[in-house]
């Protein structure tokens, strides 16, 4: 039997339904962000020798980029339909392009189908990220709105953990079918959730709005809150076009500055570039983990860290978490910056040997940065996003954070230590601006927050609004100052050289890349070895060289190999020693005529058996199809070198 309590004193489990609805809504982010995490385990397979759909590095870049291109259309669709048809239907519709995209990948036979899938994924990704914060902001009570807003980032990290954990251990198409379950599961969960009371009031359906609010609050005493909502909706309708209000209204421009500051701050700390350099940093440690296992560890740390603000954001407040997050991120980045500066500019301070005792320094710095970033900068902005815009503006003002690739370009075009110093500087600037600009919204109602934003314009704020407002008098100069600082920080001061890495000389690269498992355990040869005895493998250039084909230090090159077809050297030799008089070795290697002749003559009276033992042991006689023996990669392989035009050095006049 359910217990209904009054709004003035709500009992145990008072926010249960709100959390249930929030979890169901944010499951859309697990489904959509999984599309972004998919490329990490999928691209190595697509570029590998046994690729189901071979792609070039350029095509691989398009596969990644089309997600961002498609996501541009998500906020557009949100702005057009979210205020017309409602938050719930539009959020459910976001699953359609996700499902279609996974089906395209599952049945893909060409790169064009992968392009289409990624474009559809981008549309669903952008739509889910645009609608979900609106839904969360409109269903949550003032006391837990921060916690439900933080779920946006928690669910996103959960999606990355899912793809990182499953992707490396299942097939390419199997991963698509498994990932397809995510949007389907979201639809099943969210289908039973109510529409937001604000939208229902905006459509004039007060009875449905009351039913929705009653279910969310688990209380019948909702008249006062419903009246406040109705008044806010009526005020919103009188204010006209949302886009015009966003750009021309002073209060909304202040809110826009806050959101832009937080969005830029999130990206300019270099979180994506740090994750991109994680394997380089971890390779300095003697860790018994593969790249895939390190990715899982990193995702677990991120997930555990972003869960902390769920419990802290409504207790500690927004500003303290943001400031603590910025300070910790600054320390972690500065540690890495100092380390890489010493590592790349000196030769006698740090030992170049892998696994040196000081290798824990960048590892600790990266972990400190990831944890600090997660507890504030990665999560709190989504909570504030649902608070500072009025209801009539939210549908048209969701700004997708699109700086994911901006700093990755700088990271590819500048030295590692230069990138880390840029990230450190940006984080310091972000911390100062957060201290000066961001107000505290903990426990404030939507109406109170809007009143607070307006009072910053009209006059002196009261005591409950004064925190974080003292420095707002200098606001007119902040926007151009931010713009100038960001433009200066984005000037690429590169210390690396971008070239065609296939023209590198010996000593400028390592091939194959020793950090990758490029030896097939079945053939003991390079993966993808063809009958022409060639295989295309991944190589890595020395520090300071950026390959034009991949925009990083990795590139592909054809290397010699030995094509095998299932004939094992040890099997052939054992057959020759013990059963050679019956021709078993020749039958095994594909010489039935010689095998039958040896069988009829008892191995030419054992003389032919002795000759074959010598020929097979010295690998002069091999399989009849021209393939090589399967021998351990570092086993007793004999390579015959003959003098020809490539090995004979012609005498020169100056000798």
């Amino acid at each position: 039997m359910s217990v209904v309590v009054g709004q003035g004193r709500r009992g145990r489990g008072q926010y249960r339904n709100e959390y249930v609805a929030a979890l169901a809504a944010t499951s859309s982010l697990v489904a959509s962000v999984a599309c972004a995490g998919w490329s990490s385990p999928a691209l190595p397979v697509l570029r590998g020798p046994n690729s189901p759909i071979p792609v070039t590095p350029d095509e691989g870049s398009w596969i990644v980029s089309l997600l961002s291109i498609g996501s541009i259309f998500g906020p557009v669709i949100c702005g057009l339909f979210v205020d017309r048809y409602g938050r719930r239907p539009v959020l459910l519709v976001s699953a359609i392009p996700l499902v279609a995209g996974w089906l395209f990948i599952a049945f893909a036979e060409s790169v064009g189908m992968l392009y289409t899938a990624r474009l559809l994924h981008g549309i669903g990704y952008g739509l889910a990220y645009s609608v979900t914060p609106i839904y969360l902001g409109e269903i949550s009570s003032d006391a837990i709105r921060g916690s439900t807003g933080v779920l946006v980032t928690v669910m996103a990290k959960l999606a990355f953990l899912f793809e990182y954990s499953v992707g490396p251990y299942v097939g390419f198409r199997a991963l698509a079918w498994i990932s397809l379950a995510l949007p389907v599961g979201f639809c099943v969960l969210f289908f039973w959730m109510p529409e937001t009371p604000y939208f229902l009031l905006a459509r004039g359906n007060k009875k449905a709005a009351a039913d929705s609010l009653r279910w969310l609050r688990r209380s019948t005493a909702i008249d006062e809150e419903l009246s406040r909502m109705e008044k806010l909706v009526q005020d919103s309708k009188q204010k006209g076009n949302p886009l015009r209000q966003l750009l021309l209204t002073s209060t909304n421009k202040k809110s826009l500055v806050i959101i832009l500051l937080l969005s830029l701050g999130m990206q300019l700390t270099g979180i994506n570039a740090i994750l991109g350099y994680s394997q380089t940093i971890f390779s300095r440690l003697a860790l018994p983990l593969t790249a895939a296992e390190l990715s899982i560890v990193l995702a677990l740390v991120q997930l555990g860290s972003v869960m902390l603000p769920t419990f802290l954001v409504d207790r500690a407040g927004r500003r303290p978490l943001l400031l603590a997050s910025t300070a910790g991120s600054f320390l972690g980045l500065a540690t890495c910056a100092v380390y890489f500066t010493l590592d790349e500019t000196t030769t006698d301070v740090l030992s170049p040997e892998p696994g040196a005792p000081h290798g824990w320094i960048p590892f600790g710095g990266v972990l400190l940065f990831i944890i600090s970033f997660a507890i504030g900068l990665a999560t709190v902005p989504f909570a504030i996003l649902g608070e500072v815009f009025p209801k009539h503006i939210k549908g048209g003002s969701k700004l997708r954070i699109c700086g994911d690739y901006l700093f990755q370009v700088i990271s590819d075009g500048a030295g590692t230590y230069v990138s880390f110093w840029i990230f450190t500087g940006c984080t310091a600037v972000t911390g100062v601006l957060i201290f000066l600009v961001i107000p505290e919204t903990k426990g404030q109602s939507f109406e109170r927050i809007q009143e607070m934003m307006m009072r910053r314009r009209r006059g002196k704020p009261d005591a409950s609004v004064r925190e974080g407002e003292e420095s707002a008098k200098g606001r007119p100069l902040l926007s151009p100052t931010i713009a100038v600082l960001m433009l200066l920080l984005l000037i690429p001061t590169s210390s690396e050289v971008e070239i065609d890495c296939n023209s590198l000389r010996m000593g400028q690269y390592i091939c194959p890349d020793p950090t990758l498992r490029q030896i097939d355990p079945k053939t003991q040869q390079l993966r993808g070895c063809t009958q022409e005895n060639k295989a295309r493998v991944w190589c890595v250039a020395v520090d300071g060289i950026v390959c034009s084909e991949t925009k990083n230090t990795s590139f592909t090159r054809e290397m010699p190999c030995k094509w095998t077809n299932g004939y094992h050297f040890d099997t052939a030799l054992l057959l020759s020693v013990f059963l050679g008089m019956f021709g078993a070795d020749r039958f095994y290697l594909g010489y039935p005529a010689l095998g039958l002749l040896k069988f009829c003559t008892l191995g030419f009276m054992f003389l032919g058996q002795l000759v074959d033992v010598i020929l097979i042991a010295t690998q002069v006689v091999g399989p009849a199809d021209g393939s090589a023996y399967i021998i351990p990669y570092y086993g007793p392989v004999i390579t015959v070198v003959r003098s020809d035009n490539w090995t004979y050095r012609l005498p020169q006049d100056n000798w």
Side-chain angles (χ1 to χ4, degrees), residues 528-535 559-564 626-628:
C529 186
T530 64
Q531 292 189 11
E532 291 76 25
N533 294 323
K534 293 182 179 179
M559 287 192 66
C561 60
K562 291 185 178 182
W563 174 63
T564 61
S627 62

Side-chain angles (χ1 to χ4, degrees), residues 78 82 87 90-91 126-136 398:
C78 173
V82 75
R87 285 66 165 133
V90 174
L91 193 52
L127 190 55
Y129 250 114
S130 299
V131 182
T132 303
I134 303 176
Y135 186 87
L136 296 180
K398 289 302 169 187

Side-chain angles (χ1 to χ4, degrees), residues 499-506 508-509 541 545 547 555 557:
I499 62 173
D500 179 6
C501 286
N502 284 295
S503 63
L504 294 177
R505 297 182 178 182
M506 187 177 299
Q508 294 181 315
Y509 66 93
I545 296 179
C547 303
F555 65 101
R557 175 188 288 266

